[in-house]
Amino acid sequence: MSVPPVFRAPGPFSGDAIDLPESEVKHARKVLRLREGDRAIAVDGCGVAREGSIEYRGNGAAIVGGSDIHGWGEPEVAVTLAAALSTNDKFDSVIQKGTELGVCSFQPLIGEKGKVRVDDPARLRARLSRYARVAEAAMKQSRRSVLPTLAHPMTLECFFAESRPTGPCLLFHPGQGSVALSDLTLPGRPDHVSLIVGPESGFSDNELALAHDHGCQFVSLGARILRTETASPVAVALVMHHLGQLR
Ligand code: SAM
């Protein structure tokens, strides 16, 4: 039997039937061609899933039956990925791969040495709504129930001031003095880990000093220099593995 498709439906889930939004009904009918009674999963984007069967109701559709499954498809550790914005649509892949790998919040960073500027509000809005669409598609495709949050782009300094990251904070930096992830001991089983990845031109001395003052550990991904959009998913995958979350 094939794996049931996942649909996003607004929560909180209550009662026996979860109504699907119009766009999801269209997808179920026209793209996936699901028939009455086919198995399907609804997720609320906040960590709850229901598996039931499709019931068409006039122009709408609902998933009926099943009971709530909390934390469906989610890792046991909340990972924040603060990654420098890249030009064009390269950051889309950071959002897509990060979501597939289990990131729970994204913080796009404006690096001091970075080339990306976000001073046009209309273009920023368009960018953020595209990222949100990418994250939702990746959540459904990877069979998660949490839609990662996506913050407005900010500098590293604001990130430390506003989000006050809890748990270990790992800054990925190819310099001497960075330790290999395999040599890193993370205290106990952290609930939350923050990962920081820089822009193509790397971090400024000021940003490195700031991160050091905020207790970040500097981590190396080996001798080869990866592009930002490669380094981000590699860092997430390795940390998830390190914490036993890829089992
Ligand atoms: N010339 C830049 C430098 O020396 O930092 C290279 C920046 S690299 C293209 C973009 C970002 O990816 C870096 O700021 C870092 O966060 C991450 N990165 C890439 N390769 C890495 C490596 N081998 N070890 C640790 N981080 C790496």
Side-chain angles (χ1 to χ4, degrees):
M1 200 177 24
S2 63
V3 195
V6 176
F7 297 96
R8 168 112 189 268
F13 292 169
S14 63
D16 186 49
I18 310 296
D19 288 321
L20 297 182
E22 204 182 318
S23 58
E24 294 290 59
V25 176
K26 229 189 231 170
H27 192 65
R29 269 189 206 275
K30 304 235 162 91
V31 182
L32 302 175
R33 297 182 182 279
L34 295 186
R35 286 171 308 186
E36 184 87 5
D38 281 352
R39 304 299 291 169
I41 297 167
V43 296
D44 68 352
C46 300
V48 180
R50 278 266 189 114
E51 179 171 351
S53 45
I54 281 276
E55 190 176 283
Y56 290 109
R57 300 169 163 195
N59 290 334
I63 293 178
V64 296
S67 50
D68 290 355
I69 310 166
H70 292 264
W72 185 73
E74 291 304 312
E76 289 158 355
V77 55
V79 171
T80 292
L81 175 62
L85 272 174
S86 1
T87 47
N88 306 323
D89 54 4
K90 286 180 194 152
F91 203 74
D92 290 19
S93 88
V94 170
I95 300 280
Q96 185 191 57
K97 313 295 184 238
T99 304
E100 289 172 22
L101 288 161
V103 167
C104 84
S105 56
F106 290 98
Q107 175 58 68
L109 289 179
I110 303 165
E112 281 182 9
K113 289 167 71 184
K115 304 259 181 315
V116 184
R117 293 284 163 259
V118 289
D119 28 27
D120 177 341
R123 287 180 69 181
L124 176 61
R125 267 198 305 279
R127 227 179 218 268
L128 291 175
S129 40
R130 196 178 71 236
Y131 296 158
R133 287 196 298 277
V134 170
E136 182 169 320
M139 169 192 72
K140 293 190 282 188
Q141 184 275 325
S142 61
R143 307 175 67 71
R144 292 183 62 187
S145 53
V146 167
L147 180 65
T149 58
L150 177 62
H152 268 245
M154 58 177 73
T155 61
L156 192 58
E157 189 174 3
C158 289
F159 171 63
F160 286 130
E162 288 195 10
S163 10
R164 298 179 190 280
T166 56
C169 182
L170 311 181
L171 179 137
F172 290 83
H173 181 54
Q176 288 177 345
S178 293
V179 293
L181 195 58
S182 49
D183 294 337
L184 197 71
T185 350
L186 294 174
R189 279 190 132 238
D191 293 334
H192 187 216
V193 179
S194 300
L195 312 181
I196 303 177
V197 175
E200 282 313 301
S201 35
F203 294 105
S204 69
D205 290 346
N206 183 39
E207 287 170 326
L208 291 174
L210 195 69
H212 181 263
D213 291 349
H214 280 84
C216 292
Q217 305 186 67
F218 291 9
V219 180
S220 161
L221 293 172
R224 288 159 299 282
I225 303 298
L226 311 178
R227 286 192 178 279
T228 303
E229 64 273 17
T230 311
S232 291
V234 168
V236 178
L238 290 176
V239 168
M240 286 291 189
H241 177 66
H242 197 76
L243 296 172
Q245 299 300 311
L246 293 186
R247 283 190 254 246

